[in-house]
Amino acid sequence: MGGSYGGAVACRLAQRHPGDVRRLPLCGTALDVPDATRARAAHTVTLLRRGAIDDFARATLALFLCQDPDREIRRQAAVARLLERQLRALSPEEIRKYLANTERVLAAPLPAGPPPAIPTLVVTGEHDSLTTASMCRATAARCPDARFLTVRQADHLMPLERADEFVDLMLRFFGDRPLHDLPYRSPPASHDQPARTAAAA
């Protein structure tokens, strides 16, 4: 499973080792990064390089978490507190990794070559403001055998906000069980349909 920019890593792994990867779930993964998102991510790098930890933590939280107060998101306050503590306490090695990973994604986010032709699930929170539902839907549309769905009351950090539901979803996908009638799945919409007719759950 590849989450966020780890999705590009997971895609590359599946491309390079097609015989070893049978199913590929991608969470909050957009293969095309809009300029505005790219600029906001680059800003967090600048702040971290300056040692402006407080500003870095605030900017990163705003990047990853939906800021719309009218959106209902499970456990967002708790997840925000956890993430903020982690961001303010990064070790020198963790800072190096954050900078290297983020700059690598900004330089070349797209895996080269065709997407892997294996069952792929692209999922994100319905209120994801970093890799939006439409962006993740576009990722699924580029895969030969993909399905797409969003999870209710969650944003980009859906695996933390809806951990039980995320585990259930992974077990269902890896176990080749139906995904169309889940109580935590957002109602189907124009951006929430199987990416390929043959891959419909």
Side-chain angles (χ1 to χ4, degrees):
M1 194 285 291
S4 196
Y5 57 45
V9 179
C11 285
R12 181 64 58 84
L13 175 66
Q15 288 174 330
R16 291 183 174 179
H17 304 277
D20 296 328
V21 181
R22 297 181 182 178
R23 286 179 173 265
L24 180 64
L26 303 173
C27 183
T29 298
L31 296 182
D32 293 308
V33 181
D35 290 341
T37 301
R38 189 181 298 274
R40 293 177 68 195
H43 182 57
T44 68
V45 169
T46 299
L47 293 172
L48 189 55
R49 287 198 178 279
R50 290 177 182 169
I53 298 300
D54 289 345
D55 291 339
F56 163 74
R58 283 192 291 268
T60 304
L61 285 171
L63 180 65
F64 281 89
L65 297 173
C66 176
Q67 303 296 297
D68 187 342
D70 294 329
R71 304 294 185 181
E72 183 178 358
I73 299 173
R74 299 261 190 103
R75 301 193 185 109
Q76 191 191 54
V79 170
R81 290 193 298 269
L82 173 64
L83 181 58
E84 184 174 11
R85 285 198 300 268
Q86 292 177 334
L87 293 171
R88 292 180 183 277
L90 292 177
S91 68
E93 177 62 13
E94 289 170 333
I95 290 175
R96 185 194 67 78
K97 287 181 179 179
Y98 180 90
L99 293 172
N101 290 340
T102 305
E103 289 176 334
R104 184 181 301 115
V105 169
L106 292 174
L110 302 180
I118 56 176
T120 302
L121 171 66
V122 183
V123 59
T124 195
E126 64 178 347
H127 303 311
D128 189 340
S129 56
L130 177 58
T131 53
T132 64
S134 60
M135 292 164 64
C136 292
R137 177 69 180 81
T139 297
R142 293 171 60 173
C143 299
D145 184 6
R147 60 201 74 177
F148 169 74
L149 63 89
T150 57
V151 173
R152 293 176 184 267
Q153 300 175 337
D155 58 21
H156 189 69
L157 297 185
M158 180 269 292
L160 297 177
E161 295 158 347
R162 313 248 7 213
D164 292 343
E165 292 81 0
F166 180 69
V167 170
D168 178 69
L169 181 60
M170 293 298 100
L171 290 173
R172 287 175 178 272
F173 178 63
F174 282 119
D176 196 22
R177 295 160 58 194
L179 303 177
H180 62 275
D181 190 23
L182 304 177
Y184 50 83
R185 178 177 181 171
S186 302
S190 60
H191 63 268
D192 190 21
Q193 298 292 335
R196 292 285 185 272
T197 301

